[in-house]
């Protein structure tokens, strides 16, 4: 039996690009630059992570396909468009994650269960529609590569919706009342960076596990509902 090339963790950032994100998209892009810089300073952890950036609105854009961030000179810039359709993001992940996992396995990697970090500042503009692709994506019988989904809500996003998106109650977070949205974005990016680095370190060790950091100024969505 041939040896594997090692274990890797696929990580997907799924970020809201609706028009309401206009005032804070610069903060989000700055946070992603900081994440990239931090991973370049942690090459052992970065080696265990493959990272992808998706932006959703009325449609979804793959800003960055799953890649080793050590090989990227810079991360792409997110922008803003119109609505907040959750379903387009989950439908794309339903196609993309199994294909990405197959590709990594062809390269000889053992693949940890993928992680999706989902960020939205509003309620879905496709209510009653997004749950179908979401349910299939997260059903481990129908989709063996079903990801862990960490959901963070800011602005007008409701705790009950964020709790429905997260695959575990402890993976659902909402910004505390009165927290300025730009600050919430910065703290989300900081927690994402810590989670990715610590998860990469864990995946490289004997006890591979997903590490999820709660952003500062956020609380558990389950405590709000």
């Amino acid at each position: 039996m041939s040896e594997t090339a090692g274990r890797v963790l696929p990580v997907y950032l799924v970020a809201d690009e609706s028009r309401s994100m206009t005032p804070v998209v610069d903060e989000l892009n700055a946070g992603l630059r900081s994440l990239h810089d931090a991973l370049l300073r942690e090459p052992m952890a970065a080696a265990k992570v493959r990272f992808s950036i998706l932006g959703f609105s009325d449609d979804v854009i793959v800003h960055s396909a799953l890649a080793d961030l050590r090989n990227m000179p810079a991360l792409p810039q997110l922008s803003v468009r119109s609505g907040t359709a959750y379903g387009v993001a989950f439908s794309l992940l339903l196609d993309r994650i199994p294909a990405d996992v197959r590709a990594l396995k062809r390269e000889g990697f053992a693949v940890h269960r993928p992680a999706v970090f989902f960020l939205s500042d509003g309620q879905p503009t496709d209510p009653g529609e997004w749950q179908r692709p979401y349910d299939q994506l997260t059903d481990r019988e129908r989709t063996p590569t079903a990801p862990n989904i960490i959901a963070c809500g800011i602005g007008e996003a409701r705790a009950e919706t964020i709790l429905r998106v997260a695959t575990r109650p402890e993976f659902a977070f909402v910004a505390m009342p009165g927290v300025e949205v730009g600050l919430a974005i910065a703290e989300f990016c900081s927690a994402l960076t810590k989670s990715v680095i610590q998860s990469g370190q864990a995946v490289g060790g004997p006890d591979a596990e997903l590490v999820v950091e709660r952003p500062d100024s956020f609380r558990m969505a389950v405590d709000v509902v």
Side-chain angles (χ1 to χ4, degrees):
M1 183 175 179
S2 61
E3 293 185 4
T4 69
R7 179 176 289 273
V8 293
L9 169 68
V11 176
Y12 299 80
L13 171 63
V14 178
D16 190 337
E17 289 187 311
S18 61
R19 189 173 292 111
S20 58
M21 290 286 288
T22 300
V24 294
V25 70
D26 288 344
E27 283 89 342
L28 183 54
N29 284 321
L32 291 178
R33 287 193 295 271
S34 294
L35 179 148
H36 189 211
D37 291 343
L39 281 188
L40 293 180
R41 294 192 298 269
E42 297 282 352
M44 297 298 289
K48 300 299 181 182
V49 174
R50 298 296 180 269
F51 197 78
S52 175
I53 302 173
L54 312 178
F56 72 95
S57 179
D58 288 330
D59 58 1
V60 59
I61 294 176
V62 180
H63 291 286
S64 174
L66 203 68
D68 185 337
L69 294 185
R70 298 173 301 166
N71 299 329
M72 297 182 67
L75 295 186
Q77 296 287 290
L78 299 176
S79 57
V80 294
R81 288 163 292 154
S82 51
T84 315
Y86 286 15
V88 292
F90 298 132
S91 293
L92 186 140
L93 289 170
L94 186 57
D95 291 332
R96 201 164 193 91
I97 288 179
D100 284 345
V101 170
R102 288 194 298 269
L104 288 170
K105 288 182 175 179
R106 284 196 299 269
E107 293 176 23
F109 291 104
V111 184
H112 193 76
R113 185 169 297 281
V116 172
F117 288 82
F118 180 93
L119 174 71
S120 180
D121 78 335
Q123 287 296 105
T125 51
D126 54 347
E129 299 177 13
W130 66 267
Q131 291 92 342
R132 183 186 58 78
Y134 172 89
D135 288 344
Q136 184 172 351
L137 172 67
T138 56
D139 185 333
R140 295 189 181 186
E141 291 189 2
R142 289 188 290 173
T143 308
T145 56
N148 291 304
I149 300 180
I150 300 89
C152 291
I154 59 177
E156 300 300 317
R158 297 174 187 163
E160 59 268 25
T161 303
I162 295 302
L163 190 60
R164 175 70 175 83
V165 171
T167 48
R168 298 184 192 174
E170 62 268 29
F171 288 170
F173 308 100
V174 289
M176 295 179 183
V179 174
E180 194 268 324
V181 177
L183 175 61
I185 288 281
E187 293 181 340
F188 165 81
C189 290
S190 177
L192 171 62
T193 300
K194 293 175 183 176
S195 298
V196 171
I197 290 175
Q198 292 175 29
S199 294
Q201 292 168 340
V203 167
D207 300 315
E209 63 177 354
L210 175 65
V211 180
V212 176
E213 287 279 329
R214 178 179 61 82
D216 291 341
S217 300
F218 281 65
R219 54 184 173 176
M220 303 285 290
V222 70
D223 293 335
V224 181
V225 175

